[in-house]
Amino acid sequence: MLAKHRHFLRFTTRDLTDEQARMRPTVSELCLGGLIKHVASVERGWVEFIGQGPAAMPDFSELTEADFAERANEFSLLPDETLEGVLAAYADVAAQTDELVATLPDLSAAQPLPKAPWFEENASWSARRVFMHIIAETAQHAGHADIIREALDGAKSMG
């Protein structure tokens, strides 16, 4: 399932230039290059969480305005970045995740969630739950990417 949604997300960028991958053709701040970067970052972070627990994630209560500005860059294809580069980085993250899925001895092993306003207090997520979250995140953003691509040039990735 994750491979399917990754494919659709990557497919939205077919035949685009870096400039097109930076464009924001809707009222949203999202662009295709930024979506690829964001999904790769989220997947990487959650995979690290499986092994390291909440220490793999920032303490959200201590993030500064500068930290939030840096996180916002995750949704942009910056001038020194290329679509090819972010796609390659995403492929590397995907390979690491796939290796973990294939080798993790217990998908029920759980880690406590970090403190954040959007997580239930004192909750834990199993590796299985984390992988489901990665699938949902990827599918949601593949849908966003499809809308952005259609607004760019009329091309559709799904349907």
Side-chain angles (χ1 to χ4, degrees):
M1 183 63 63
L2 181 54
K4 172 186 167 185
H5 292 300
R6 282 184 189 138
H7 164 76
F8 280 123
L9 178 58
R10 287 189 303 255
F11 190 63
T12 61
T13 66
R14 70 195 179 284
D15 303 323
L16 292 181
T17 65
D18 291 341
E19 186 57 38
Q20 288 171 310
R22 286 185 185 92
M23 293 175 74
R24 295 180 168 121
T26 69
V27 296
S28 169
E29 290 292 315
L30 299 176
C31 69
L32 292 174
L35 277 174
I36 300 289
K37 280 175 50 179
H38 171 69
V39 171
S41 175
V42 167
E43 186 170 322
R44 182 183 313 104
W46 280 110
V47 166
E48 290 172 1
F49 170 82
I50 290 171
Q52 301 171 29
M57 297 187 165
D59 181 339
F60 292 98
S61 67
E62 294 182 7
L63 293 181
T64 65
E65 283 188 38
D67 295 326
F68 282 109
E70 188 176 321
R71 278 178 72 96
N73 283 339
E74 188 176 282
F75 290 94
S76 299
L77 186 62
L78 300 175
D80 64 332
E81 297 173 324
T82 65
L83 179 57
E84 181 181 3
V86 297
L87 286 168
Y90 185 35
D92 289 343
V93 169
Q96 292 169 7
T97 302
D98 293 347
E99 176 66 20
L100 181 61
V101 170
T103 61
L104 195 64
D106 182 6
L107 291 175
S108 297
Q111 296 278 13
L113 289 170
K115 288 184 175 30
W118 47 86
F119 290 135
E120 180 184 339
E121 197 170 323
N122 300 318
S124 294
W125 277 10
S126 68
R128 181 179 290 104
R129 174 64 182 88
V130 170
F131 291 131
M132 295 297 293
H133 180 73
I134 291 169
I135 292 167
E137 177 94 6
T138 304
Q140 179 179 15
H141 288 310
H144 293 144
D146 194 45
I147 291 167
I148 292 168
R149 179 60 192 258
E150 190 170 354
L152 274 175
D153 63 5
K156 295 181 181 181
S157 300
M158 299 180 215

